[in-house]
PDB file of all heavy atoms in Angstrom:
ATOM      1  N   LYS A   1     -33.492 216.291  90.426  1.00  0.00           N
ATOM      2  CA  LYS A   1     -32.351 217.210  90.370  1.00  0.00           C
ATOM      3  C   LYS A   1     -31.730 217.062  88.986  1.00  0.00           C
ATOM      4  O   LYS A   1     -31.389 215.957  88.563  1.00  0.00           O
ATOM      5  CB  LYS A   1     -31.333 216.893  91.460  1.00  0.00           C
ATOM      6  CG  LYS A   1     -31.848 217.122  92.892  1.00  0.00           C
ATOM      7  CD  LYS A   1     -30.759 216.860  93.908  1.00  0.00           C
ATOM      8  CE  LYS A   1     -31.289 216.930  95.328  1.00  0.00           C
ATOM      9  NZ  LYS A   1     -31.708 218.283  95.744  1.00  0.00           N
ATOM     10  N   LEU A   2     -31.604 218.181  88.280  1.00  0.00           N
ATOM     11  CA  LEU A   2     -31.016 218.195  86.950  1.00  0.00           C
ATOM     12  C   LEU A   2     -29.596 218.734  87.062  1.00  0.00           C
ATOM     13  O   LEU A   2     -29.396 219.903  87.399  1.00  0.00           O
ATOM     14  CB  LEU A   2     -31.830 219.082  86.003  1.00  0.00           C
ATOM     15  CG  LEU A   2     -33.346 218.893  85.959  1.00  0.00           C
ATOM     16  CD1 LEU A   2     -33.953 219.882  84.966  1.00  0.00           C
ATOM     17  CD2 LEU A   2     -33.695 217.473  85.582  1.00  0.00           C
ATOM     18  N   VAL A   3     -28.615 217.898  86.777  1.00  0.00           N
ATOM     19  CA  VAL A   3     -27.218 218.296  86.882  1.00  0.00           C
ATOM     20  C   VAL A   3     -26.695 218.607  85.482  1.00  0.00           C
ATOM     21  O   VAL A   3     -26.711 217.747  84.597  1.00  0.00           O
ATOM     22  CB  VAL A   3     -26.370 217.180  87.524  1.00  0.00           C
ATOM     23  CG1 VAL A   3     -24.904 217.598  87.592  1.00  0.00           C
ATOM     24  CG2 VAL A   3     -26.896 216.853  88.917  1.00  0.00           C
ATOM     25  N   ILE A   4     -26.234 219.831  85.292  1.00  0.00           N
ATOM     26  CA  ILE A   4     -25.684 220.217  83.988  1.00  0.00           C
ATOM     27  C   ILE A   4     -24.313 220.856  84.196  1.00  0.00           C
ATOM     28  O   ILE A   4     -23.995 221.347  85.288  1.00  0.00           O
ATOM     29  CB  ILE A   4     -26.605 221.190  83.222  1.00  0.00           C
ATOM     30  CG1 ILE A   4     -26.703 222.524  83.948  1.00  0.00           C
ATOM     31  CG2 ILE A   4     -27.982 220.576  83.029  1.00  0.00           C
ATOM     32  CD1 ILE A   4     -27.417 223.601  83.156  1.00  0.00           C
ATOM     33  N   GLY A   5     -23.492 220.834  83.155  1.00  0.00           N
ATOM     34  CA  GLY A   5     -22.169 221.440  83.220  1.00  0.00           C
ATOM     35  C   GLY A   5     -22.207 222.910  82.869  1.00  0.00           C
ATOM     36  O   GLY A   5     -23.153 223.407  82.249  1.00  0.00           O
ATOM     37  N   GLY A   6     -21.152 223.592  83.256  1.00  0.00           N
ATOM     38  CA  GLY A   6     -21.068 225.015  82.965  1.00  0.00           C
ATOM     39  C   GLY A   6     -20.946 225.314  81.486  1.00  0.00           C
ATOM     40  O   GLY A   6     -21.168 226.444  81.053  1.00  0.00           O
ATOM     41  N   SER A   7     -20.596 224.285  80.688  1.00  0.00           N
ATOM     42  CA  SER A   7     -20.484 224.482  79.246  1.00  0.00           C
ATOM     43  C   SER A   7     -21.797 224.196  78.518  1.00  0.00           C
ATOM     44  O   SER A   7     -21.846 224.240  77.293  1.00  0.00           O
ATOM     45  CB  SER A   7     -19.377 223.583  78.680  1.00  0.00           C
ATOM     46  OG  SER A   7     -19.628 222.222  78.975  1.00  0.00           O
ATOM     47  N   ASN A   8     -22.857 223.919  79.254  1.00  0.00           N
ATOM     48  CA  ASN A   8     -24.153 223.662  78.632  1.00  0.00           C
ATOM     49  C   ASN A   8     -24.690 224.948  78.005  1.00  0.00           C
ATOM     50  O   ASN A   8     -24.860 225.959  78.708  1.00  0.00           O
ATOM     51  CB  ASN A   8     -25.136 223.136  79.670  1.00  0.00           C
ATOM     52  CG  ASN A   8     -26.428 222.605  79.059  1.00  0.00           C
ATOM     53  OD1 ASN A   8     -27.119 223.326  78.333  1.00  0.00           O
ATOM     54  ND2 ASN A   8     -26.768 221.373  79.355  1.00  0.00           N
ATOM     55  N   PRO A   9     -24.965 224.939  76.698  1.00  0.00           N
ATOM     56  CA  PRO A   9     -25.397 226.169  76.031  1.00  0.00           C
ATOM     57  C   PRO A   9     -26.887 226.469  76.198  1.00  0.00           C
ATOM     58  O   PRO A   9     -27.371 227.459  75.639  1.00  0.00           O
ATOM     59  CB  PRO A   9     -25.068 225.888  74.561  1.00  0.00           C
ATOM     60  CG  PRO A   9     -25.207 224.405  74.425  1.00  0.00           C
ATOM     61  CD  PRO A   9     -24.770 223.823  75.746  1.00  0.00           C
ATOM     62  N   HIS A  10     -27.611 225.624  76.934  1.00  0.00           N
ATOM     63  CA  HIS A  10     -29.068 225.752  77.019  1.00  0.00           C
ATOM     64  C   HIS A  10     -29.539 226.147  78.412  1.00  0.00           C
ATOM     65  O   HIS A  10     -30.679 225.861  78.790  1.00  0.00           O
ATOM     66  CB  HIS A  10     -29.731 224.429  76.615  1.00  0.00           C
ATOM     67  CG  HIS A  10     -29.272 223.897  75.293  1.00  0.00           C
ATOM     68  ND1 HIS A  10     -29.613 224.481  74.098  1.00  0.00           N
ATOM     69  CD2 HIS A  10     -28.466 222.850  74.994  1.00  0.00           C
ATOM     70  CE1 HIS A  10     -29.053 223.806  73.101  1.00  0.00           C
ATOM     71  NE2 HIS A  10     -28.353 222.815  73.624  1.00  0.00           N
ATOM     72  N   LEU A  11     -28.677 226.796  79.186  1.00  0.00           N
ATOM     73  CA  LEU A  11     -29.005 227.113  80.570  1.00  0.00           C
ATOM     74  C   LEU A  11     -30.287 227.946  80.688  1.00  0.00           C
ATOM     75  O   LEU A  11     -31.149 227.662  81.523  1.00  0.00           O
ATOM     76  CB  LEU A  11     -27.827 227.850  81.221  1.00  0.00           C
ATOM     77  CG  LEU A  11     -28.001 228.238  82.691  1.00  0.00           C
ATOM     78  CD1 LEU A  11     -28.266 227.011  83.548  1.00  0.00           C
ATOM     79  CD2 LEU A  11     -26.755 228.973  83.192  1.00  0.00           C
ATOM     80  N   GLU A  12     -30.439 228.946  79.844  1.00  0.00           N
ATOM     81  CA  GLU A  12     -31.620 229.810  79.923  1.00  0.00           C
ATOM     82  C   GLU A  12     -32.896 229.029  79.611  1.00  0.00           C
ATOM     83  O   GLU A  12     -33.908 229.152  80.315  1.00  0.00           O
ATOM     84  CB  GLU A  12     -31.466 230.985  78.962  1.00  0.00           C
ATOM     85  CG  GLU A  12     -32.595 231.996  79.047  1.00  0.00           C
ATOM     86  CD  GLU A  12     -32.361 233.208  78.160  1.00  0.00           C
ATOM     87  OE1 GLU A  12     -31.226 233.381  77.669  1.00  0.00           O
ATOM     88  OE2 GLU A  12     -33.325 233.967  77.951  1.00  0.00           O
ATOM     89  N   THR A  13     -32.842 228.198  78.573  1.00  0.00           N
ATOM     90  CA  THR A  13     -34.011 227.380  78.214  1.00  0.00           C
ATOM     91  C   THR A  13     -34.364 226.420  79.338  1.00  0.00           C
ATOM     92  O   THR A  13     -35.545 226.249  79.677  1.00  0.00           O
ATOM     93  CB  THR A  13     -33.724 226.586  76.927  1.00  0.00           C
ATOM     94  OG1 THR A  13     -33.464 227.499  75.865  1.00  0.00           O
ATOM     95  CG2 THR A  13     -34.904 225.697  76.560  1.00  0.00           C
ATOM     96  N   LEU A  14     -33.363 225.807  79.920  1.00  0.00           N
ATOM     97  CA  LEU A  14     -33.616 224.855  81.007  1.00  0.00           C
ATOM     98  C   LEU A  14     -34.204 225.558  82.225  1.00  0.00           C
ATOM     99  O   LEU A  14     -35.076 225.003  82.908  1.00  0.00           O
ATOM    100  CB  LEU A  14     -32.321 224.134  81.376  1.00  0.00           C
ATOM    101  CG  LEU A  14     -31.832 223.113  80.347  1.00  0.00           C
ATOM    102  CD1 LEU A  14     -30.419 222.644  80.685  1.00  0.00           C
ATOM    103  CD2 LEU A  14     -32.780 221.915  80.284  1.00  0.00           C
ATOM    104  N   GLY A  15     -33.741 226.775  82.489  1.00  0.00           N
ATOM    105  CA  GLY A  15     -34.316 227.529  83.597  1.00  0.00           C
ATOM    106  C   GLY A  15     -35.805 227.767  83.399  1.00  0.00           C
ATOM    107  O   GLY A  15     -36.602 227.650  84.336  1.00  0.00           O
ATOM    108  N   THR A  16     -36.194 228.079  82.169  1.00  0.00           N
ATOM    109  CA  THR A  16     -37.615 228.272  81.853  1.00  0.00           C
ATOM    110  C   THR A  16     -38.381 226.959  82.010  1.00  0.00           C
ATOM    111  O   THR A  16     -39.492 226.927  82.567  1.00  0.00           O
ATOM    112  CB  THR A  16     -37.766 228.797  80.411  1.00  0.00           C
ATOM    113  OG1 THR A  16     -37.080 230.044  80.285  1.00  0.00           O
ATOM    114  CG2 THR A  16     -39.237 228.978  80.055  1.00  0.00           C
ATOM    115  N   ASP A  17     -37.802 225.853  81.528  1.00  0.00           N
ATOM    116  CA  ASP A  17     -38.455 224.551  81.651  1.00  0.00           C
ATOM    117  C   ASP A  17     -38.671 224.177  83.119  1.00  0.00           C
ATOM    118  O   ASP A  17     -39.721 223.628  83.486  1.00  0.00           O
ATOM    119  CB  ASP A  17     -37.600 223.469  80.982  1.00  0.00           C
ATOM    120  CG  ASP A  17     -37.553 223.608  79.476  1.00  0.00           C
ATOM    121  OD1 ASP A  17     -38.430 224.303  78.916  1.00  0.00           O
ATOM    122  OD2 ASP A  17     -36.635 223.031  78.857  1.00  0.00           O
ATOM    123  N   VAL A  18     -37.686 224.452  83.951  1.00  0.00           N
ATOM    124  CA  VAL A  18     -37.795 224.135  85.373  1.00  0.00           C
ATOM    125  C   VAL A  18     -38.923 224.933  86.020  1.00  0.00           C
ATOM    126  O   VAL A  18     -39.727 224.396  86.801  1.00  0.00           O
ATOM    127  CB  VAL A  18     -36.442 224.397  86.077  1.00  0.00           C
ATOM    128  CG1 VAL A  18     -36.613 224.418  87.595  1.00  0.00           C
ATOM    129  CG2 VAL A  18     -35.419 223.344  85.680  1.00  0.00           C
ATOM    130  N   ARG A  19     -39.020 226.211  85.706  1.00  0.00           N
ATOM    131  CA  ARG A  19     -40.071 227.044  86.294  1.00  0.00           C
ATOM    132  C   ARG A  19     -41.459 226.599  85.858  1.00  0.00           C
ATOM    133  O   ARG A  19     -42.433 226.737  86.618  1.00  0.00           O
ATOM    134  CB  ARG A  19     -39.842 228.512  85.919  1.00  0.00           C
ATOM    135  CG  ARG A  19     -38.640 229.148  86.617  1.00  0.00           C
ATOM    136  CD  ARG A  19     -38.586 230.646  86.379  1.00  0.00           C
ATOM    137  NE  ARG A  19     -38.332 230.977  84.976  1.00  0.00           N
ATOM    138  CZ  ARG A  19     -37.131 231.098  84.452  1.00  0.00           C
ATOM    139  NH1 ARG A  19     -36.057 230.914  85.213  1.00  0.00           N
ATOM    140  NH2 ARG A  19     -36.978 231.429  83.166  1.00  0.00           N
ATOM    141  N   ARG A  20     -41.571 226.045  84.664  1.00  0.00           N
ATOM    142  CA  ARG A  20     -42.872 225.631  84.148  1.00  0.00           C
ATOM    143  C   ARG A  20     -43.239 224.192  84.520  1.00  0.00           C
ATOM    144  O   ARG A  20     -44.375 223.763  84.291  1.00  0.00           O
ATOM    145  CB  ARG A  20     -42.881 225.762  82.628  1.00  0.00           C
ATOM    146  CG  ARG A  20     -42.817 227.196  82.122  1.00  0.00           C
ATOM    147  CD  ARG A  20     -42.705 227.213  80.604  1.00  0.00           C
ATOM    148  NE  ARG A  20     -42.709 228.572  80.068  1.00  0.00           N
ATOM    149  CZ  ARG A  20     -42.507 228.876  78.795  1.00  0.00           C
ATOM    150  NH1 ARG A  20     -42.274 227.903  77.902  1.00  0.00           N
ATOM    151  NH2 ARG A  20     -42.521 230.134  78.390  1.00  0.00           N
ATOM    152  N   SER A  21     -42.305 223.446  85.061  1.00  0.00           N
ATOM    153  CA  SER A  21     -42.554 222.024  85.319  1.00  0.00           C
ATOM    154  C   SER A  21     -43.628 221.830  86.392  1.00  0.00           C
ATOM    155  O   SER A  21     -43.819 222.681  87.267  1.00  0.00           O
ATOM    156  CB  SER A  21     -41.256 221.338  85.748  1.00  0.00           C
ATOM    157  OG  SER A  21     -40.838 221.820  87.005  1.00  0.00           O
ATOM    158  N   LYS A  22     -44.298 220.683  86.320  1.00  0.00           N
ATOM    159  CA  LYS A  22     -45.384 220.371  87.252  1.00  0.00           C
ATOM    160  C   LYS A  22     -44.920 219.496  88.414  1.00  0.00           C
ATOM    161  O   LYS A  22     -45.726 219.032  89.204  1.00  0.00           O
ATOM    162  CB  LYS A  22     -46.513 219.673  86.495  1.00  0.00           C
ATOM    163  CG  LYS A  22     -47.104 220.510  85.367  1.00  0.00           C
ATOM    164  CD  LYS A  22     -48.103 219.716  84.553  1.00  0.00           C
ATOM    165  CE  LYS A  22     -48.608 220.523  83.364  1.00  0.00           C
ATOM    166  NZ  LYS A  22     -49.512 219.723  82.489  1.00  0.00           N
ATOM    167  N   PHE A  23     -43.613 219.271  88.510  1.00  0.00           N
ATOM    168  CA  PHE A  23     -43.080 218.478  89.621  1.00  0.00           C
ATOM    169  C   PHE A  23     -41.915 219.250  90.246  1.00  0.00           C
ATOM    170  O   PHE A  23     -41.399 220.212  89.661  1.00  0.00           O
ATOM    171  CB  PHE A  23     -42.628 217.100  89.145  1.00  0.00           C
ATOM    172  CG  PHE A  23     -41.566 217.131  88.065  1.00  0.00           C
ATOM    173  CD1 PHE A  23     -40.223 216.992  88.376  1.00  0.00           C
ATOM    174  CD2 PHE A  23     -41.913 217.308  86.726  1.00  0.00           C
ATOM    175  CE1 PHE A  23     -39.251 217.032  87.391  1.00  0.00           C
ATOM    176  CE2 PHE A  23     -40.943 217.338  85.733  1.00  0.00           C
ATOM    177  CZ  PHE A  23     -39.606 217.209  86.062  1.00  0.00           C
ATOM    178  N   ALA A  24     -41.527 218.843  91.437  1.00  0.00           N
ATOM    179  CA  ALA A  24     -40.444 219.528  92.147  1.00  0.00           C
ATOM    180  C   ALA A  24     -39.117 219.222  91.465  1.00  0.00           C
ATOM    181  O   ALA A  24     -38.725 218.058  91.345  1.00  0.00           O
ATOM    182  CB  ALA A  24     -40.398 219.070  93.603  1.00  0.00           C
ATOM    183  N   VAL A  25     -38.415 220.263  91.022  1.00  0.00           N
ATOM    184  CA  VAL A  25     -37.173 220.052  90.285  1.00  0.00           C
ATOM    185  C   VAL A  25     -36.175 221.155  90.612  1.00  0.00           C
ATOM    186  O   VAL A  25     -36.542 222.329  90.738  1.00  0.00           O
ATOM    187  CB  VAL A  25     -37.442 219.979  88.765  1.00  0.00           C
ATOM    188  CG1 VAL A  25     -38.171 221.212  88.268  1.00  0.00           C
ATOM    189  CG2 VAL A  25     -36.153 219.751  87.987  1.00  0.00           C
ATOM    190  N   GLU A  26     -34.928 220.756  90.757  1.00  0.00           N
ATOM    191  CA  GLU A  26     -33.842 221.685  91.049  1.00  0.00           C
ATOM    192  C   GLU A  26     -32.783 221.575  89.963  1.00  0.00           C
ATOM    193  O   GLU A  26     -32.397 220.474  89.556  1.00  0.00           O
ATOM    194  CB  GLU A  26     -33.209 221.369  92.409  1.00  0.00           C
ATOM    195  CG  GLU A  26     -32.020 222.240  92.767  1.00  0.00           C
ATOM    196  CD  GLU A  26     -31.323 221.800  94.040  1.00  0.00           C
ATOM    197  OE1 GLU A  26     -31.800 220.837  94.678  1.00  0.00           O
ATOM    198  OE2 GLU A  26     -30.296 222.412  94.388  1.00  0.00           O
ATOM    199  N   LEU A  27     -32.309 222.723  89.490  1.00  0.00           N
ATOM    200  CA  LEU A  27     -31.260 222.761  88.488  1.00  0.00           C
ATOM    201  C   LEU A  27     -29.921 222.982  89.191  1.00  0.00           C
ATOM    202  O   LEU A  27     -29.739 223.962  89.916  1.00  0.00           O
ATOM    203  CB  LEU A  27     -31.531 223.887  87.491  1.00  0.00           C
ATOM    204  CG  LEU A  27     -30.669 223.940  86.235  1.00  0.00           C
ATOM    205  CD1 LEU A  27     -30.836 222.683  85.390  1.00  0.00           C
ATOM    206  CD2 LEU A  27     -31.009 225.180  85.404  1.00  0.00           C
TER     207      LEU A  27
END
């Protein structure tokens, strides 16, 4: 589980990383 704040400027990039990951991950 990846916990990020609402002020994180990389939300879109992280969403892409999560979709491409090879393990179960929740943002």
Side-chain angles (χ1 to χ4, degrees):
K1 294 183 186 292
L2 311 179
V3 178
I4 66 171
S7 58
N8 190 304
H10 308 289
L11 181 58
E12 184 175 347
T13 299
L14 288 170
T16 300
D17 291 342
V18 166
R19 289 189 294 272
R20 292 175 177 174
S21 67
K22 300 173 184 176
F23 58 97
V25 55
E26 177 186 357
L27 190 61

